[in-house]
Amino acid sequence: MLQRVAFDDLEVGEIAIELDDREPQEVIAWALDTFDPDAIAVVTALQAEGMAILDMAVRLRPEVRVLTVDTLRLPAATYRFIEEVRARYPHAQVEVLSPDPGAVEAMELRDGRDSFRDSLALRLRCCQVRKVQPLVRALDGLDCWITGLRRDQWASRAAIRKVELDHDHNGIVKLNPLADWTKDEVWEYLADHDVPVHPLYAEGYTSIGCDPCTRPVSPGEDDRAGRWWWETGAPKECGIHCPIETGGFEHEAHAILGEDR
Ligand code: SF4
């Protein structure tokens, strides 16, 4: 039977202070020791940071749960990479989450298949239906999720801590073990540990999402510039890390745009 573990703000605040200077592996080890194996998962789109976290977690617990979302619009290379990851980590429980087919069909009938190009609102709706909702359903059964977020990836991530209480998702614990790592540190880890990397990095991509919403970046561009590149000023987020329902996304948008609201 699942042993549920929950913390309050004060407790998580104390744990965060204790673990904020620790190495990512120590943070992950704390979580794996603390939560029921079925109630903790690495949640990743299998990008560089997620692969580093996955590798660290597997070294500590080979059969760790790993959740990734198939939005049904992923690049062909991502589907092949999922199989490569499964082959490399045969004991890890890699679970591919899918959107509700009825919700996708209803959205496409109403808005069109590529409505994400028409407005930010329609893009966010597409991300909600295809990506955020399946993840939120999965998070519902967890006490802790582990992400590969880093503070210097984007303004909306600048204040993350290694251990947080995720009030946007039932108050479960959100772990960001790479919060203070740089991109170079991530790639150094991947090389040192011979971790498989998504093949699109070799084609100039620096952040990889759905096929129609991701492009390679040019030299000097921000790493997330290839995500939803036709939008100007909007946060390069899908909504899972700053949820739309609670106003988190809008808050981050205004912070980034410098609007006083
Ligand atoms: Fe839809 Fe694009 Fe978001 Fe994928 S990244 S869910 S295709 S808007």
Side-chain angles (χ1 to χ4, degrees):
M1 198 171 127
L2 195 68
Q3 285 289 114
R4 306 307 299 247
V5 177
F7 292 101
D8 61 27
D9 283 304
L10 193 62
E11 291 166 330
V12 161
E14 287 171 356
I15 295 164
I17 290 169
E18 193 183 325
L19 294 181
D20 220 49
D21 293 333
R22 302 282 185 87
E23 291 299 318
Q25 292 92 334
E26 293 177 272
V27 179
I28 296 170
W30 168 81
L32 292 176
D33 285 344
T34 301
F35 298 97
D36 187 287
D38 289 330
I40 180 170
V42 174
V43 178
T44 173
L46 307 177
Q47 297 187 63
E49 288 80 3
M51 288 306 302
I53 290 291
L54 193 166
D55 187 84
M56 290 173 189
V58 166
R59 286 169 191 274
L60 291 162
R61 178 180 292 159
E63 65 283 3
V64 68
R65 288 184 72 190
V66 178
L67 308 182
T68 192
V69 180
D70 174 9
T71 62
L72 310 179
R73 299 296 301 265
L74 298 178
T78 300
Y79 293 106
R80 290 194 293 273
F81 188 55
I82 291 171
E83 295 316 310
E84 188 182 337
V85 170
R86 281 194 161 123
R88 171 62 184 268
Y89 303 103
H91 301 293
Q93 301 178 58
V94 179
E95 302 165 40
V96 179
L97 311 173
S98 302
D100 173 7
V104 172
E105 190 181 352
M107 176 181 67
E108 290 189 349
L109 277 174
R110 187 185 53 235
D111 303 332
R113 182 163 156 77
D114 292 338
S115 58
F116 44 81
R117 293 286 175 88
D118 296 339
S119 69
L120 176 61
L122 289 176
R123 193 273 281 179
L124 289 173
R125 181 182 293 165
C126 185
C127 284
Q128 277 291 98
V129 169
R130 292 182 182 277
K131 196 182 316 185
V132 177
Q133 289 175 359
L135 267 178
V136 167
R137 282 193 289 275
L139 293 179
D140 212 26
L142 297 181
D143 291 335
C144 177
W145 61 309
I146 312 175
T147 84
L149 298 186
R150 292 187 295 105
R151 289 181 188 131
D152 69 4
Q153 279 172 318
W154 194 250
S156 55
R157 301 178 178 184
I160 59 171
R161 305 194 76 173
K162 291 187 183 174
V163 185
E164 301 178 331
L165 211 53
D166 188 349
H167 289 292
D168 295 314
H169 300 113
N170 297 327
I172 66 173
V173 169
K174 182 176 183 181
L175 220 63
N176 308 306
L178 299 182
D180 59 355
W181 269 28
T182 63
K183 177 179 156 185
D184 286 349
E185 285 176 295
V186 172
W187 283 92
E188 203 174 310
Y189 178 91
L190 298 176
D192 288 350
H193 296 82
D194 194 26
V195 179
V197 295
H198 196 298
L200 287 182
Y201 284 111
E203 296 182 25
Y205 289 74
T206 48
S207 179
I208 302 158
C210 290
D211 194 43
C213 299
T214 312
R215 63 155 172 74
V217 300
S218 305
E221 276 190 306
D222 186 275
D223 278 355
R224 285 181 74 79
R227 305 291 291 275
W228 310 291
W229 64 93
W230 60 89
E231 295 174 355
T232 49
K236 303 287 187 186
E237 299 281 9
C238 65
I240 190 65
H241 296 298
C242 42
I244 294 160
E245 298 90 339
T246 56
F249 190 92
E250 287 75 10
H251 172 81
E252 299 301 342
H254 293 305
I256 289 165
L257 294 170
E259 295 173 8
D260 190 18
R261 275 182 58 168

